[in-house]
Amino acid sequence: RYMEDNVEPNLDFSDQMAKAVAVSRLETAKLLSEVSTNIYPFRNILCVQGKLTPDLDNPPHYDDDFEPAFAPSEMRCLALVSHNRMKAVMKEFVTINKNILKKFCLTGTQSTMKMLSEVFKGDSSVVFGPSCTSGPLGGDAELAALLCRGRLGGILFFEDPLSAHAHQADIHCLCRQAQVHNTMICATTTSALMMMHVLRSALQGNGRPELIPSFFFSLKSPAVVAYLGEQEKVIATHSSG
């Protein structure tokens, strides 16, 4: 594209190509530097592989506080869950994103709720929802029940993918019910960081609730609609018999 927009008749093709490659490399380096600068605060959360080249003289502004368009009481709860190897990362994540997270009614399993109370200690504006028991003792199942009753609008679940879990059935149940009820769920730190931008956009200014519908409405997976239609046919068939 550079060669199309910057034709230099005095240069032969090979020289133009060399110049285009040099410009491309410079622009790529500049882009990577900008990206590195913006994600540098999250380097541990993202566990970035390779070398970052941030501009530390111009750090990005992130997680500025703001007045939300909706109060926590007007939305469903946001649940936070993390496995043992992910708890330190979850705490760092919450600390970095506390000004957006505290706009929601926060719930979660026992150890995560304890961590939240430590991070938000002294902040009377934070609203906490139900504190569930530890995951292996039924905490994930409790969250699944809250979800099914329409009390959860989203889940940040930092699951350890390298460990076996005694309560794997409960974990699967929670994640599956999030799919059944078409509820926002982030299962990686990357998706959770991306979601923070969506949550902020949804709550700033006059608000854009359409960006986070599961915090306001009961939803279903399209597969549920198809399933219910199939069930009606089955019931009708047996009834007519």
Side-chain angles (χ1 to χ4, degrees):
R1 181 61 185 269
Y2 173 84
M3 293 182 67
E4 293 178 1
D5 297 338
N6 298 274
V7 176
E8 298 185 47
N10 296 328
L11 296 178
D12 60 27
F13 180 79
S14 60
D15 289 337
Q16 290 190 52
M17 179 62 75
K19 187 172 183 179
V21 170
V23 170
S24 177
R25 287 176 176 171
L26 182 63
E27 291 178 348
T28 299
K30 181 180 178 181
L31 174 62
L32 290 177
S33 178
E34 291 177 358
V35 174
S36 294
T37 300
N38 289 329
I39 69 172
Y40 188 75
F42 322 118
R43 60 193 181 281
N44 296 327
I45 295 173
L46 296 173
C47 200
V48 179
Q49 306 298 295
K51 184 179 180 181
L52 293 177
T53 56
D55 180 3
L56 298 180
D57 293 329
N58 296 287
H61 292 286
Y62 187 78
D63 197 41
D64 293 332
D65 205 357
F66 65 98
E67 189 67 29
F70 313 105
S73 59
E74 297 178 288
M75 299 181 288
R76 300 183 182 193
C77 293
L78 175 61
L80 282 74
V81 188
S82 60
H83 289 155
N84 288 342
R85 288 181 178 175
M86 301 295 287
K87 292 190 185 303
V89 174
M90 175 63 87
K91 184 174 184 178
E92 183 175 354
F93 178 90
V94 171
T95 302
I96 291 176
N97 295 281
K98 62 182 181 180
N99 283 328
I100 179 60
L101 291 173
K102 72 178 185 179
K103 302 299 187 285
F104 294 86
C105 178
L106 301 175
T107 185
T109 48
Q110 188 177 59
S111 58
T112 301
M113 291 297 283
K114 181 179 179 181
M115 176 271 292
L116 290 173
S117 66
E118 293 173 356
V119 172
F120 291 110
K121 185 177 181 179
D123 191 338
S124 59
S125 67
V126 181
V127 179
F128 293 108
S131 181
C132 300
T133 190
S134 176
L137 300 181
D140 293 329
E142 289 182 62
L143 288 173
L146 289 174
L147 194 158
C148 291
R149 294 203 300 269
R151 296 187 61 186
L152 290 190
I155 305 168
L156 303 180
F157 197 158
F158 289 4
E159 185 177 353
D160 175 4
L162 299 181
S163 298
H165 306 285
H167 59 305
Q168 187 61 51
D170 293 351
I171 296 170
H172 177 70
C173 175
L174 176 58
C175 295
R176 178 179 173 276
Q177 288 304 320
Q179 293 177 322
V180 169
H181 294 273
N182 212 359
T183 299
M184 183 212 92
I185 182 168
C186 297
T188 66
T189 54
T190 300
S191 59
L193 279 172
M194 294 166 67
M195 183 53 63
M196 293 302 99
H197 293 283
V198 176
L199 297 181
R200 180 175 288 272
S201 296
L203 299 187
Q204 283 183 325
N206 294 325
R208 297 185 61 190
E210 69 275 10
L211 294 179
I212 50 173
S214 59
F215 283 92
F216 296 93
F217 297 98
S218 294
L219 310 175
K220 295 291 184 185
S221 165
V224 173
V225 178
Y227 167 78
L228 293 176
E230 293 168 358
Q231 287 298 101
E232 288 181 0
K233 292 179 181 179
V234 171
I235 294 173
T237 299
H238 286 283
S239 297
S240 61

